[in-house]
Amino acid sequence: MTTLTPATPHAAPGAPREKPAVVRGLSAFVRARETGILLAVLLVIVVTTVKNPSFVFSSDGWRDLLLTPSILVIVAVGQAMVIITRSVDLSVGSVLGLTAYLTGRLFIDIPGIPMIVVFLAGIVLGGLLGLINGALVAFAKVPALVITLGTLYAYRGINVVWAGSDRINASDMPKDFLALGTGQFLTIPLLTIIALVVLIIAGWYMKNTRGGREFYAIGSDPAAAGLYGLRVVRRLLIAFVASGALAGLAGVLYAARYGTVNSQAGSGWELDAVGAAVIGGVAIFGGSGTVWGAAIGAVLLLTINRALPIIGVPDFWQRAVVGALIIGAIVLDRVLALRQSRRLLEAREETK
Amino acid sequence: MVDAPAPGTAPALELSRVVKSFGAVVALRSGTIALESGSIHALVGENGAGKSTLVKIIAGLYQRDSGEFLLRGESVDFRSTAESKAAGIAVIYQEPTLFPDLSVTENIFMGRQPTNRFGRIDRKAMKTEAQGLFRRLGVNIDPDRPAEGLSIADQQIIEIAKAISLDASVLVMDEPTAALSGVEVDRLFAVARSLRDEGRALLFISHRFDEVFDLCDTITVMRDGQYISTDPVADSTVDEIVRRMVGRDVTELFPKQEAVIGDTVLEVRGLNSAGVFHDISFDLHAGEILGLAGLVGAGRSEVARAVFGVDPYQSGTVRINGRKVPPNSPTAAMNLGMALVPEDRRKQGLVLESSVARNTTMAIRRTLAKAGILTSGEENASARVWASRLEVKTNALDTEAGTLSGGNQQKVVLAKWLATNPTVLIIDEPTRGIDVGTKSEVHRLLSELAGQGMAILMISSELPEVLGMADRVLVMREGRITADIPREDATAESVMFAATQAANPGDIAATHAPEEHVA
C-alpha cells in the first residue's frame, strides 16, 4: 500500500473541482478497503494455479472455487450486518445446524413437500432464532457477545436433543433438491448465484437506504444514535433477524450441498463468519466496512484453506495461517484508522 | 422558514412549573421559561441549578413529572428525542453527538435522507443541500469528509447545519462556547444572530457573562432547580445576576471548628497538563481546609487527580512535608500520607459488590495482612473501628456496599481513606447527592479532622459548603487558578465572579471540552 491520494478536506464550496465520474469511481475502487482483500484472493488463486493449473483450469477446479465459499458468503453477509451495528452473532453456526436438520426432517416427515416451503421454513426458523437473539440484546441490554454465546449452546443443545444420533442422508431428500447443491448455470454453480443475489440485495440495502445507513450510525456511536432519535432497538432487531434468516437459508443450502446432516452440522461456522467479516474490513467495533468486504473475506478464508495443501503447507500450519490472516486484518484496520485520524487532524491544523 | 411572531401570540416554547425528580433527588423543582421567536434567551445558574435537566426535558430525553410544557401554545409530551425533533426542536449539546465513521453530509441527514421512490438515497441531492447549508453558514467543510477529526467548533457547525436543515423553530445550545476559541465564538455568534433574525427562538446556556450580555435579549436565572427571574438583558447587570444565581442564605449549617493553622504540608508548584490545567501553584497547611471552587469543567478534579498521581502532568512539582511526590504514582502518594476521596464514589471509590468491611480496609490491606494473608476477622475488626467512628448506618459489616444510601456510601469511602491515616486529605465533592442531615455530619467530620491537624483540600461545587467550611478558597476558571480568597473575604459573589469572569474576556481559549454533568 503506497500513500493514498491526499484527501481534499476543504474543497471550496462551489468551486468546480469535481473530477469526472469514471476517475472518481476508479480512485474510490483503488482506495477501498475491499480492493486489498480482492487482490489477496487473486494472489492466492494465481500462486496456487501456477503450482497446479487444475486449481482453476479444470471443470471441477472452477466449480469448487466458486462453490466452496458460497454458503459461508451468505452467513458472513448476515454477520457483517450485525457487526456493523456494534454487535456480534455467535449463534449462526447453531442456527445453520438447526435449519439444516429441519430441512431433512421436513422432506422425511412430509413426503412431497414443495421445495419452496422448505426454503421458507428454514428462513423463517432462522429469522425467529435471530429475533430471540435480537430481543435479548436490545431489551435486556446484555452485550451480544454474551447473549449469542449462550444461544450458540442453547440452539445446539436443542439440535442434539431433537436429532439425537439420527442422521439425515442424501437418500432421504429429493433429487431435485440435491441437484440445487451441485447444479450449474453457464458453468456457475446455482449456490453461487444464490449467494450473489443475497450479497447484491444486502449490499444495496446497506449502502443506499436509510435503514442501512442507520446500521452504520448505530455502530459508529450508539449513544449519539439514541440522542439523534434513531430507532436503535428496531434496527438491532432487524440486524439479528437478517443474520438469523440468512443463516437459516444457509442451513437449507447446506443440506442440499452436503446431503448428510447430523446434530453437529455447522459447528464452528460462527467463527469462520466473524473471521470472514473481519478479514473483509468490517470493523469489529462497528460503524464501518461493507457486506461486500465480508463476502470477499469468506472467499479468501475458504480458498486459502483449499490452496495451502496444494502449495504444500502442512495441515498443522493451515489453521495458523488463517489466524495470522485475521490478526493481520485487524492490525491493518487499526493502522489505517490511526493514519486516517492523523491525516484528518493534520488537515484541521493546516486550515486553522 | 419560520414566521416572525405576531404580537400577542403564544411563545415558541413555554415551560411552567415543571418538576422532575430522580428517586429521592429533585433535580428540577420548578422549571419556568418562555422562548419567543426571533429572540435569543439566556439561561444561567450555578452548577446543579437544574439547567441541564430543563434542557433534557425540552429535548425529550427526560419526561417531566408535572408542570406545563407548551410548544406554540399547545401542550406537548415528548417521549423521545425523535418526537421533539419532529416538532421542530433542535438541541446542540455541549459535546456534539456525531457519528465519527460517517461523512459530514450523512451526519446532517441521518434518518431523513432524501430518497427516490425505490427508497434509494439521493446522495447528489443530499450533498448539494449540505454544500448550500455550509455556504449559508459561511464555513468551508468538505461534505464528503468523515466527521472524525473535526474540531469541536466544526462539529457544532455540523449540529447547527442539522438544525437548520430540520427547519427547527427552537434551537437550544447547552454551553456551546465552552470549548471554543475567540474566533470560533465570533463565528458561532454570527450564525446565532442570523438564525434569530430568521425568526427562530434560541436558548443559550452559558457561564460566560460577557457572551450572554453580548448575544442575548432576555435572561432567565435558575437556582437550586428553581426559576428565579426573567429580565431583558438590557435592564440587567452582571452583579445583579450573580447575586440572584447565588442568592441564598449561607446559614451556619456547617459547624466549622476553629483550627490552628500549622506549617505547609502540601506544596504544589507550577503544575501543567496541556489542555487540562495550567500553572497550578498553591500551599496547603496542617489543620487547614482549603476550598477549591469553580464551575463544572474548570479542571478542579483534574488537578486533584494529578496531585494524587492518578493522571500525568507535563511539568511542575508536588511536595509533602518537603518530600517530592513522584508523578503518576498513587501508591507513592499514599505512602507519603496522601488520600483522595473521588467525586464519583460509585465508580471510583467503592467496590459496590463487596462488603462494607472489605471496602473499608481496601486501602490498608497490605499493612493489615500477615504474610500476605488477610483474615476476615482482622478485616472486620479494623472496619468496625472506622464504621463506628463515622457512624455508618448498616446492620452488618458484610452488607454489600451498593445497597447503602448515598450518605453511608460516602462514609465508607471516607473510612477507607481515613484508615490509612493520611496527613493530606483531598476530597472531591464530599456531599454530592447526600441528604441534608448526613451532609452536616460529613461536614462536622471534616472539621474535626482539620482540628486534629489534617490538611484538607476540599473540592466543591456548592458555594455554601465552600463558604461555610473553607479557611481559604481557591477559585479555578478554565484550567487556571483565578483567585485565592481568605475566609474573611470570601462571599458568594466574590467566588462566583472569579469563577465566571475572565480577566480579559475571550483571550483564554480553553482547549478541552468540559465533562457533561447531570445537574
Side-chain angles (χ1 to χ4, degrees):
Chain A
M1 292 253 176
T2 49
T3 316
L4 308 172
T5 329
T8 49
H10 285 266
R17 286 174 55 185
E18 301 282 299
K19 294 173 206 129
V22 184
V23 176
R24 262 186 303 140
L26 200 67
S27 94
F29 176 76
V30 170
R31 258 191 276 177
R33 176 74 172 74
E34 290 75 17
T35 311
I37 312 296
L38 195 60
L39 289 177
V41 172
L42 293 178
L43 184 73
V44 169
I45 294 174
V46 168
V47 168
T48 316
T49 308
V50 167
K51 187 101 180 174
N52 180 355
S54 73
F55 190 68
V56 170
F57 299 111
S58 68
S59 64
D60 275 0
W62 174 247
R63 198 198 63 187
D64 284 349
L65 190 66
L66 298 177
L67 192 54
T68 312
S70 296
I71 298 180
L72 183 60
V73 163
I74 294 174
V75 181
V77 164
Q79 187 69 254
M81 292 171 75
V82 173
I83 295 181
I84 284 168
T85 59
R86 201 180 275 195
S87 286
V88 71
D89 186 354
L90 293 181
S91 72
V92 286
S94 300
V95 171
L96 185 149
L98 261 179
T99 52
Y101 189 74
L102 173 77
T103 304
R105 277 261 63 97
L106 285 175
F107 281 123
I108 295 171
D109 295 344
I110 312 171
I113 185 172
M115 234 192 285
I116 182 76
V117 175
V118 175
F119 266 91
L120 284 177
I123 293 171
V124 168
L125 175 64
L128 283 176
L129 295 173
L131 185 63
I132 295 174
N133 286 333
L136 286 171
V137 171
F139 295 116
K141 310 246 182 253
V142 180
L145 186 76
V146 181
I147 293 286
T148 58
L149 185 64
T151 52
L152 169 128
Y153 288 111
Y155 295 167
R156 182 64 68 189
I158 293 169
N159 200 350
V160 170
V161 170
W162 187 16
S165 56
D166 183 27
R167 193 167 82 171
I168 310 271
N169 292 307
S171 56
D172 299 328
M173 290 183 279
K175 286 217 161 44
D176 290 354
F177 180 69
L178 295 171
L180 258 181
T182 46
Q184 298 181 353
F185 179 75
L186 298 175
T187 81
I188 299 176
L190 292 176
L191 288 190
T192 307
I193 294 174
I194 295 175
L196 269 175
V197 170
V198 165
L199 177 58
I200 289 169
I201 293 174
W204 189 86
Y205 175 79
M206 292 299 279
K207 180 159 192 272
N208 292 317
T209 68
R210 288 182 182 177
R213 300 318 295 172
E214 286 179 17
F215 280 41
Y216 284 92
I218 291 165
S220 190
D221 190 339
L227 282 178
Y228 219 104
L230 300 184
R231 285 171 294 192
V232 177
V233 166
R234 187 169 139 168
R235 290 287 154 225
L236 271 180
L237 288 179
I238 291 175
F240 274 99
V241 167
S243 171
L246 289 176
L249 171 65
V252 178
L253 298 176
Y254 181 97
R257 162 96 206 275
Y258 297 103
T260 53
V261 181
N262 63 16
S263 64
Q264 294 305 311
S267 290
W269 276 56
E270 60 282 340
L271 297 183
D272 282 346
V274 174
V278 169
I279 291 172
V282 176
I284 196 74
F285 291 119
S288 73
T290 63
V291 293
W292 288 94
I296 302 171
V299 173
L300 180 62
L301 203 61
L302 295 190
T303 306
I304 278 202
N305 264 344
R306 292 196 312 117
L308 291 177
I310 296 173
I311 301 174
V313 176
D315 256 12
F316 176 73
W317 285 105
Q318 288 169 22
R319 302 247 99 190
V321 169
V322 172
L325 211 60
I326 292 176
I327 294 173
I330 291 180
V331 170
L332 178 67
D333 265 348
R334 189 78 204 120
V335 169
L336 289 180
L338 283 177
R339 208 168 65 173
Q340 153 118 335
S341 70
R342 208 172 42 230
R343 209 183 58 212
L344 290 171
L345 276 177
E346 276 164 13
R348 179 172 127 199
E349 294 304 317
E350 279 165 21
T351 53
K352 272 262 162 86
Chain B
M1 223 77 333
V2 187
D3 295 325
T9 52
L13 181 145
E14 190 173 7
L15 266 70
S16 58
R17 293 184 305 281
V18 169
V19 178
K20 176 74 191 172
S21 46
F22 300 94
V25 182
V26 184
L28 195 58
R29 279 168 214 287
S30 172
T32 296
I33 199 160
L35 307 185
E36 300 290 345
S37 298
S39 165
I40 305 179
H41 197 123
L43 178 60
V44 298
E46 270 188 275
N47 301 328
K51 294 168 300 186
S52 294
T53 310
L54 189 88
V55 167
K56 284 174 181 161
I57 288 171
I58 295 176
L61 211 58
Y62 294 161
Q63 283 74 49
R64 66 188 188 278
D65 298 335
S66 65
E68 263 190 294
F69 184 175
L70 304 177
L71 190 66
R72 288 179 284 277
E74 281 170 41
S75 177
V76 285
D77 287 290
F78 298 134
R79 277 159 304 165
S80 68
T81 48
E83 286 183 15
S84 98
K85 206 159 93 169
I89 297 174
V91 178
I92 297 165
Y93 299 95
Q94 213 173 70
E95 304 253 358
T97 50
L98 298 179
F99 306 113
D101 297 295
L102 302 183
S103 76
V104 161
T105 307
E106 283 207 274
N107 264 291
I108 296 176
F109 294 99
M110 182 54 67
R112 48 191 185 85
Q113 300 95 333
T115 54
N116 68 11
R117 62 205 152 92
F118 303 111
R120 186 179 203 278
I121 293 170
D122 189 344
R123 281 168 196 276
K124 211 171 204 171
M126 200 160 79
K127 185 175 167 181
T128 313
E129 204 176 324
Q131 280 167 335
L133 286 169
F134 290 149
R135 215 176 359 253
R136 207 171 125 196
L137 294 172
V139 292
N140 268 349
I141 299 176
D142 176 11
D144 290 329
R145 66 159 287 160
E148 188 187 346
L150 282 173
S151 67
I152 300 268
D154 281 344
Q155 291 184 40
Q156 274 168 349
I157 292 292
I158 308 289
E159 296 276 6
I160 291 172
K162 215 181 335 183
I164 298 176
S165 83
L166 266 168
D167 201 17
S169 55
V170 177
L171 242 98
V172 180
M173 295 191 246
D174 192 355
E175 289 200 53
T177 58
L180 303 193
S181 66
V183 187
E184 292 166 333
V185 170
D186 291 344
R187 185 178 72 174
L188 180 73
F189 282 9
V191 169
R193 288 195 182 96
S194 78
L195 294 176
R196 173 193 63 194
D197 296 341
E198 284 168 12
R200 298 173 208 271
L202 280 82
L203 178 62
F204 180 77
I205 297 176
S206 177
H207 282 311
R208 300 181 176 174
F209 286 117
D210 46 331
E211 294 175 0
V212 167
F213 279 81
D214 181 22
L215 180 70
C216 301
D217 308 310
T218 318
I219 184 163
T220 290
V221 179
M222 283 182 76
R223 185 173 74 224
D224 297 334
Q226 208 128 24
Y227 166 83
I228 299 298
S229 67
T230 299
D231 295 288
V233 165
D235 302 346
S236 309
T237 63
V238 176
D239 282 351
E240 199 183 313
I241 297 292
V242 167
R243 205 159 27 243
R244 284 190 200 149
M245 278 167 66
V246 299
R248 69 190 132 186
D249 300 336
V250 182
T251 52
E252 294 302 316
L253 191 65
F254 311 114
K256 170 82 174 84
Q257 300 178 353
E258 285 304 314
V260 185
I261 310 279
D263 296 335
T264 300
V265 180
L266 177 72
E267 184 190 302
V268 176
R269 287 287 174 275
L271 225 53
N272 272 303
S273 175
V276 186
F277 51 79
H278 311 280
D279 200 19
I280 302 296
S281 301
F282 62 88
D283 288 331
L284 176 60
H285 306 89
E288 180 183 43
I289 297 181
L290 178 59
L292 188 49
L295 299 164
V296 171
R300 296 166 301 161
S301 302
E302 289 78 359
V303 167
R305 289 168 59 84
V307 168
F308 190 61
V310 185
D311 292 344
Y313 46 88
Q314 272 97 47
S315 61
T317 53
V318 177
R319 284 171 197 281
I320 291 182
N321 292 325
R323 291 177 63 189
K324 190 170 183 295
V325 182
N328 233 336
S329 168
T331 319
M334 274 167 67
N335 290 339
L336 286 166
M338 208 189 306
L340 171 74
V341 180
E343 176 181 8
D344 187 345
R345 56 178 173 270
R346 294 184 76 86
K347 272 195 195 140
Q348 299 170 7
L350 277 181
V351 181
L352 296 174
E353 296 80 10
S354 287
S355 69
V356 170
R358 187 149 293 178
N359 269 296
T360 311
T361 54
M362 188 105 51
I364 52 164
R365 307 194 74 128
R366 223 169 294 163
T367 46
L368 213 55
K370 295 207 170 76
I373 295 166
L374 181 62
T375 64
S376 57
E378 274 168 78
E379 215 172 48
N380 281 331
S382 160
R384 197 163 295 126
V385 175
W386 284 104
S388 65
R389 265 190 74 179
L390 301 190
E391 296 167 22
V392 176
K393 289 182 188 66
T394 173
N395 304 331
L397 288 170
D398 56 6
T399 316
E400 270 185 35
T403 63
L404 298 181
S405 71
N408 280 309
Q409 284 183 5
Q410 182 67 312
K411 287 188 197 166
V412 172
V413 181
L414 259 172
K416 167 177 128 185
W417 285 109
L418 294 179
T420 65
N421 241 333
T423 49
V424 175
L425 176 70
I426 304 176
I427 185 161
D428 197 351
E429 301 288 358
T431 59
R432 169 166 293 171
I434 292 180
D435 61 88
V436 181
T438 323
K439 234 179 207 179
S440 58
E441 274 183 62
V442 170
H443 289 143
R444 192 182 55 231
L445 182 75
L446 288 178
S447 174
E448 254 175 54
L449 291 169
Q452 291 158 17
M454 195 181 286
I456 299 176
L457 178 64
M458 180 185 77
I459 300 173
S460 174
S461 295
E462 294 191 32
L463 270 177
E465 181 168 276
V466 172
L467 299 174
M469 294 293 299
D471 296 301
R472 194 153 58 90
V473 184
L474 288 181
V475 187
M476 281 187 72
R477 178 183 182 276
E478 295 180 2
R480 285 171 200 279
I481 292 179
T482 49
D484 182 346
I485 313 171
R487 184 179 176 83
E488 310 81 74
D489 302 338
T491 61
E493 285 77 13
S494 63
V495 172
M496 207 32 148
F497 199 80
T500 51
Q501 294 288 87
N504 299 304
D507 75 350
I508 297 172
T511 46
H512 71 292
E515 313 156 41
E516 163 85 349
H517 281 274
V518 178

